[in-house]
Amino acid sequence: MKKYSFYLIASLFVFLSCEDAREIDPIDLIDSSQAFGTVGDIEQGVQAAYGSYNPENVIAFSSRFVDDLRIGSNSGGQGIADLSQVLDPGSGSTTGIWTSRYGVINLATQVILAIEGFETDDADERARLNRALGEMLALRSLAHIDLMALYSSDDNIAPGGEFAPDALAVPYVNSIIVFEQPVRNTVADLSAAITADLDRAASVLGNQTDLNRVTPEFITAARARLALYTGDNAGAIANANALIAAIPLADKADYLGIFRDTNDEEVIWSLIRNQAAGGSPGTLFSFGTRNPFLEVSFGLGDLLDPMDARREVVIDLVTSESGETRVGKYFGRPGEDLRNNVKVFRVAEQYLIKAEAQARSNDLSGAATTVDMLRDARFGSDQPTPSYGSLRDAIEDILLERRLELAYEGHRYIDFRRTRDILGNGIVRDARDCGAQGIPCGIPVDDRRFAMPIPNVEIAGNTAIVQNPGYGN
């Protein structure tokens, strides 16, 4: 019996009807000329790849699994598995994120291969093809970064354990997989492949400025995030500095507007969510009537100073009823409740990347200054500059700032993974956020669940792939 790698499955139905998909031969799937006969066809493929990138599944998993949510006043069990910290190879989040990201990778790769085989002497067409090529290389890179951040091996929690160069990451895919069974690349090899794709993307993209598409700043932001994850502190600082110099932080008065889509200050890349594009991120936490099945945790809510602009973004102070702390980050636009564009890259993250890389480079005073710049912007006034006596002090404070700034943007679980070797912390929830309905109060620092398992659907179709420790074979 032939086994098919799962990577292909998520992208088959984008260009094909169900009937077409039943009749097509696997060989046809790698003949891009059938699907992409014109530059317009290729540009439609680009749009399909953008549409398949779904940050909401990581936002949902990360927010629920860690310490930022509690059972809401209208809970009917929605999200309870992640909130209960159930994580195994058959979990919905495990499977959904893996297949979603490899679906993006496959769609982007199909477009890349089509562009590489497309012949034209028309200068305008070539410019459009180069732009599309840069976009797809960059989007494929980001999908690989997401996968590495969540599924890389967890053999130890020594410094850099999950992202050590020789740790197992995920397969790097740059071809259409049908019968092949790819193995997991190491973090070093995967990072090198991602970097090569980003370099190539930068060389062909051109000066695109649309914040809803890949831009040169998107590429720089992806480089900065990758550098931080893999311990390239100099690279993290250099790339973050480039963005900090180019994109100012929002004033306190304008901060809320970023998340109500009334301005695009600080935004590097934002995914459109509207009636045409679909998606309502606020429904990760509430029903369409705004009644919440999940709410801001007491542990997070208590950290938000009334003078901090982030408080009215994280907590819905408009519609929350007595005793409620509804999630406000995806409050919605007029006439579109719970629907906002998803900000995947913001310059605020770059300040936090820079600060952490400075701290890890033993520049504790520099890290403190960088954190202070962000805090000053959020409070709208000069705040006391923190003082760090050790790397642990610095990382603890930076992690706090990341929790406030990046709440419900999909970072918290990964941040726990990346920093527990220094902090020695597992997940510890506020006692008021757990206990009810059997919700656990945390997991220990050495728990296997700090790496997501390779999903059963992949193990079943790819006998060459290795499962993460603690999840069996």
Side-chain angles (χ1 to χ4, degrees), residues 90-150:
S91 296
S93 292
T94 299
T95 303
I97 294 170
W98 179 274
T99 57
S100 168
R101 291 305 182 275
Y102 275 113
V104 174
I105 289 166
N106 273 287
L107 280 170
T109 297
Q110 289 182 53
V111 177
I112 290 167
L113 294 174
I115 293 169
E116 291 174 340
F118 199 97
E119 297 182 2
T120 181
D121 295 323
D122 184 272
D124 177 68
E125 284 193 335
R126 181 52 58 191
R128 290 163 61 191
L129 290 170
N130 283 341
R131 181 172 62 246
L133 178 61
E135 290 179 277
M136 293 299 92
L137 287 165
L139 190 64
R140 186 172 75 182
S141 296
L142 180 59
H144 278 114
I145 292 170
D146 291 347
L147 289 164
M148 183 190 74
L150 294 165

Side-chain angles (χ1 to χ4, degrees), residues 163-223:
F163 303 107
D166 60 349
L168 287 180
V170 297
Y172 170 72
V173 175
N174 64 349
S175 61
I176 302 303
I177 303 297
V178 181
F179 299 113
E180 299 88 345
Q181 297 192 344
V183 299
R184 296 172 69 177
N185 292 94
T186 64
V187 167
D189 288 344
L190 179 61
S191 298
I194 293 170
T195 299
D197 275 351
L198 290 172
D199 288 347
R200 187 181 176 202
S203 72
V204 298
L205 179 66
N207 190 30
Q208 182 157 265
T209 59
D210 185 344
L211 298 180
N212 303 127
R213 303 179 73 103
V214 170
T215 63
E217 291 76 21
F218 172 114
I219 295 170
T220 304
R223 284 173 168 155

Side-chain angles (χ1 to χ4, degrees), residues 318-331:
V318 177
T319 72
S320 291
E321 298 180 359
S322 178
E324 291 181 340
T325 50
R326 299 180 181 183
V327 175
K329 184 152 276 187
Y330 304 100
F331 181 85

Side-chain angles (χ1 to χ4, degrees), residues 344-362:
V344 181
F345 287 124
R346 295 189 291 119
V347 77
E349 181 194 357
Q350 302 306 311
Y351 279 82
L352 296 163
I353 287 174
K354 178 182 177 180
E356 185 173 336
Q358 288 174 308
R360 290 176 180 270
S361 302
N362 202 34

